[in-house]
Amino acid sequence: MKKRVFYWISGSNVREPVVSNVVLETGVMVNILKAKMEPREGFLILELTGDEEQIEKSIEILKKFGEAEDIPKIIQKDDEKCIDCGACVVHCPVGALSVDEEFKILLDEDECIGCKNCAKICPVNAINIFEI
């Protein structure tokens, strides 16, 4: 099971090894998709991978030091606008966008890390970004 969360941590906890504690205490795999840490606060987008119990315990630990909010999805491809040009595929660093045998663009939301390269390069604005 994978779950993406937006995590905010206050300045008093910025120096705490929260993510390390989550990994050590729960055994969950944590992928840091985005992070911005400053002296007064930090913002992270985390992808947690494990069983349901591990993920629930991970979120409990995170909430001891900050706030965690589920992220259902990061981007969405508008099939009506998409012209299947492939520009997005070339610029996706993780292969979340691909081309099928009929030359249609496919989006694998589970692989998307939210880098927004696809939206920036799309000539017809067929990629919608869900801001958090």
Side-chain angles (χ1 to χ4, degrees), residues 1-4 22-23 26-31 46-59:
M1 171 180 185
K2 283 186 181 182
K3 179 175 249 186
R4 289 195 176 127
V22 166
V23 172
T26 67
V28 74
M29 298 291 292
V30 177
N31 188 8
L46 304 173
E47 182 178 69
L48 309 174
T49 304
D51 63 37
E52 190 172 348
E53 184 179 321
Q54 287 175 305
I55 290 175
E56 285 178 16
K57 183 163 170 88
S58 298
I59 291 173

Side-chain angles (χ1 to χ4, degrees), residues 49-87:
T49 304
D51 63 37
E52 190 172 348
E53 184 179 321
Q54 287 175 305
I55 290 175
E56 285 178 16
K57 183 163 170 88
S58 298
I59 291 173
E60 286 175 25
I61 294 168
L62 290 170
K63 286 183 175 180
K64 289 179 185 176
F65 298 94
E67 297 177 24
E69 180 182 323
D70 286 0
I71 302 172
K73 64 169 105 175
I74 297 172
I75 70 168
Q76 181 179 29
K77 182 174 86 69
D78 184 336
D79 291 327
E80 296 294 318
K81 285 184 177 180
C82 182
I83 58 172
D84 298 309
C85 67

Side-chain angles (χ1 to χ4, degrees), residues 19-34:
V19 175
S20 297
N21 287 339
V22 166
V23 172
L24 291 172
E25 291 183 33
T26 67
V28 74
M29 298 291 292
V30 177
N31 188 8
I32 301 172
L33 302 177
K34 287 190 177 186

Side-chain angles (χ1 to χ4, degrees), residues 93-110:
V94 295
L97 291 152
S98 61
V99 180
D100 71 7
E101 59 278 348
E102 295 177 4
F103 301 103
K104 295 285 184 190
I105 304 300
L106 304 175
L107 167 63
D108 183 347
E109 291 178 11
D110 291 334

